[in-house]
């Protein structure tokens, strides 16, 4: 088991340089770090967030991982897959009501053996200290609790190590932000001449700035200044998708032959290319973009869009 975990931990992923007339004109060197390719199901940043938590759970002899998420959550999906692969029972606490048939994300989680519980939105808000969790702890005893989105200090430690897997010198590294855990870890792994840029996928994501500081403080007690978060590329809010965003993704995939998705990576790439267009970066700047994965969500997004008559084209 240790070997399986370590094999994944030491696996290398490609760094791909993007070439296009637009990038050449702006004299920007753009590279995509394909951590989305690290595992078919425990993809991208979710693996780096889980890695030290999984080691810790093993160390503590926990046999069950319990975590939280929405019905389309990449973190739920990755945790279910990790449980199956590394021999943990898994419990997913899902926000909202059950909808049958299950969407592809929850179908997969269930097929991995995840036990799924639904809680209404108000209960979900105080998810870590409800009687419900106490009951589950009494019932299962041996739980390892992963927070929503998987963000904790061990997740930061894992994400900080992404920097060491990039074998060229660079000036910036970019990531989408949901909880800001991945960005926080990246910041801790950089040297001070490098900068991290986050793109909020949430509307009103200003709180992320304080959250990132808090995550880092809890992790290593430090304060950093070499980072910022762009707040205006959310396209209306979390999981909101517009025709403009879909056309952008379709063009991006045609030009660069890399699949992205509209919840996280699509919004980040849109934002980054917009910043380049506006001349935010000096000539010859080297920028790394983290492909955080999340492509599992596309099936569910397509199913949902088929039901919406006003969106007449699919990804
Ligand atoms: C979860 C997720 C993110 C956001 O990561 P945070 O650490 O919560 O900010 C970004 N991209 C993808 C594809 C994700 O699944």
């Amino acid at each position: 088991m240790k070997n399986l975990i370590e094999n994944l931990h030491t696996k290398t992923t490609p760094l791909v340089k993007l070439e296009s007339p637009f990038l050449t004109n702006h004299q920007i060197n753009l590279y995509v770090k394909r951590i989305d390719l690290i595992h078919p199901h425990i993809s991208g940043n979710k693996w780096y967030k889980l890695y030290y938590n999984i080691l810790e759970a093993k160390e503590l002899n926990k046999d069950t991982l319990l975590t939280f998420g929405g019905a389309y959550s990449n973190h739920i999906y990755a945790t279910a897959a990790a449980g199956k692969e590394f021999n943990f029972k898994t419990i997913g606490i899902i926000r909202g009501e059950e909808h049958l048939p299950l969407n592809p994300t929850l179908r997969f989680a269930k097929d991995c053996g995840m036990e799924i519980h639904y809680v209404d939105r108000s209960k979900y808000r105080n998810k870590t200290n409800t009687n419900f969790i106490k009951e589950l702890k009494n019932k299962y005893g041996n739980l390892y609790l992963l927070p929503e989105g998987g963000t904790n200090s061990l997740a930061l430690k894992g994400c900080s190590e992404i920097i060491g897997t990039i074998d060229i010198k660079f000036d910036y590294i970019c990531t989408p932000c949901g909880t800001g855990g991945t960005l926080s870890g990246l910041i801790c792994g950089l040297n001070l001449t490098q900068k991290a840029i986050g793109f909020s996928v949430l509307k009103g994501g200003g709180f992320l700035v304080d959250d990132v500081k808090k995550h880092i403080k809890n992790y290593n007690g430090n304060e950093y200044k070499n980072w910022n978060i762009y707040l205006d590329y959310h396209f209306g809010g979390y999981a909101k998708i517009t025709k403009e965003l879909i056309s952008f993704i379709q063009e991006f995939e045609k030009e660069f032959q890399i699949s992205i998705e509209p919840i996280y990576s699509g919004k980040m790439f849109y934002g980054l290319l917009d910043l380049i267009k506006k001349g935010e970066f000096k000539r010859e700047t080297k920028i790394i973009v983290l492909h955080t994965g999340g492509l599992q969500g596309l099936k569910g997004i397509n199913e949902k869009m088929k039901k919406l008559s006003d969106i007449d084209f699919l990804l």
Side-chain angles (χ1 to χ4, degrees):
M1 187 53 56
K2 268 257 151 76
N3 277 346
L4 259 182
I5 300 174
E6 283 318 310
N7 282 350
L8 202 49
H9 184 54
T10 51
K11 186 172 163 187
T12 55
T13 53
L15 185 69
V16 181
K17 184 158 195 221
L18 299 191
E19 307 279 359
S20 78
F22 170 81
L23 293 169
T24 308
N25 284 343
H26 287 83
Q27 298 184 40
I28 295 294
N29 297 298
L30 195 57
Y31 301 82
V32 181
K33 180 61 176 168
R34 300 289 312 268
I35 62 170
D36 59 307
L37 298 177
I38 199 144
H39 187 281
H41 303 302
I42 316 170
S43 85
N45 64 336
K46 297 304 185 279
W47 163 247
Y48 287 90
K49 296 176 89 169
L50 281 170
Y51 169 65
Y52 284 107
N53 281 291
I54 286 171
L55 290 189
E56 177 79 355
K58 290 271 176 219
E59 194 67 33
L60 298 171
N61 281 318
K62 305 283 189 186
D63 56 20
T64 304
L65 305 174
L66 181 145
T67 196
F68 312 86
Y72 294 87
S73 161
N74 295 328
H75 168 65
I76 288 287
Y77 187 96
T79 303
K84 185 176 178 198
E85 182 139 348
F86 304 126
N87 245 333
F88 292 98
K89 279 183 255 170
T90 52
I91 302 174
I93 311 291
I94 307 299
R95 184 180 59 234
E97 300 162 5
E98 181 175 36
H99 293 281
L100 293 174
L102 291 178
N103 73 42
T105 302
L106 295 182
R107 178 78 260 156
F108 173 86
K110 203 158 182 207
D111 288 345
C112 287
M114 181 175 263
E115 186 178 314
I116 293 174
H117 295 270
Y118 298 89
V119 301
D120 65 48
R121 280 157 201 276
S122 59
K123 249 201 206 155
Y124 188 87
R125 250 172 253 131
N126 37 28
K127 50 192 163 298
T128 44
N129 50 17
T130 55
N131 287 332
F132 181 59
I133 300 295
K134 275 187 211 140
E135 276 167 35
L136 287 172
K137 275 199 160 161
N138 287 338
K139 188 169 163 200
Y140 293 96
N142 219 4
L143 289 179
Y144 186 87
L145 216 73
L146 288 162
E148 184 177 35
T151 293
N152 58 15
S153 283
L154 291 176
L156 263 66
K157 185 176 178 187
C159 288
S160 74
E161 292 182 355
I162 294 170
I163 300 296
T165 70
I166 299 165
D167 51 11
I168 63 163
K169 285 193 179 154
F170 61 89
D171 304 299
Y172 292 88
I173 185 160
C174 302
T175 186
C177 293
T179 65
T182 304
L183 178 65
S184 305
L186 294 175
I187 293 166
C188 297
L190 291 175
N191 67 44
L192 295 177
T193 65
Q194 299 169 313
K195 276 183 114 176
I197 300 176
F199 291 87
S200 171
V201 301
L202 315 165
K203 191 169 162 178
F207 68 91
L208 282 169
V209 174
D210 281 335
D211 280 5
V212 165
K213 289 180 191 166
K214 242 188 294 173
H215 297 320
I216 293 176
K217 202 163 192 139
N218 290 336
Y219 169 54
N220 66 10
N222 290 345
E223 284 177 34
Y224 300 88
K225 294 220 166 0
N226 53 336
W227 60 279
N228 69 320
I229 303 180
Y230 287 93
L231 300 174
D232 296 330
Y233 295 109
H234 54 71
F235 286 85
Y238 182 67
K240 294 276 191 287
I241 302 171
T242 66
K243 291 190 178 187
E244 188 191 7
L245 180 60
I246 293 180
S247 322
F248 169 78
I249 290 172
Q250 288 170 334
E251 274 166 40
F252 180 95
E253 292 182 341
K254 209 159 94 197
E255 178 143 36
F256 299 116
Q257 307 297 316
I258 294 177
S259 296
I260 56 176
E261 46 70 52
I263 314 292
Y264 294 101
S265 48
K267 292 180 181 180
M268 166 182 61
F269 273 112
Y270 184 100
L272 178 60
L273 294 182
D274 189 53
L275 293 173
I276 292 173
K277 191 163 74 191
K278 289 176 174 156
E280 289 289 316
F281 300 99
K282 279 192 286 202
R283 276 182 282 168
E284 294 312 322
T285 299
K286 281 198 170 70
I287 304 174
I288 308 283
V289 185
L290 210 57
H291 193 325
T292 45
L295 297 169
Q296 71 83 18
L298 281 173
K299 273 192 215 153
I301 293 163
N302 275 332
E303 275 186 10
K304 244 190 188 160
M305 290 203 311
K306 263 185 235 164
K307 288 185 200 144
L308 299 174
S309 51
D310 61 328
I311 296 193
D312 54 358
F313 47 107
L314 304 176
L315 287 162

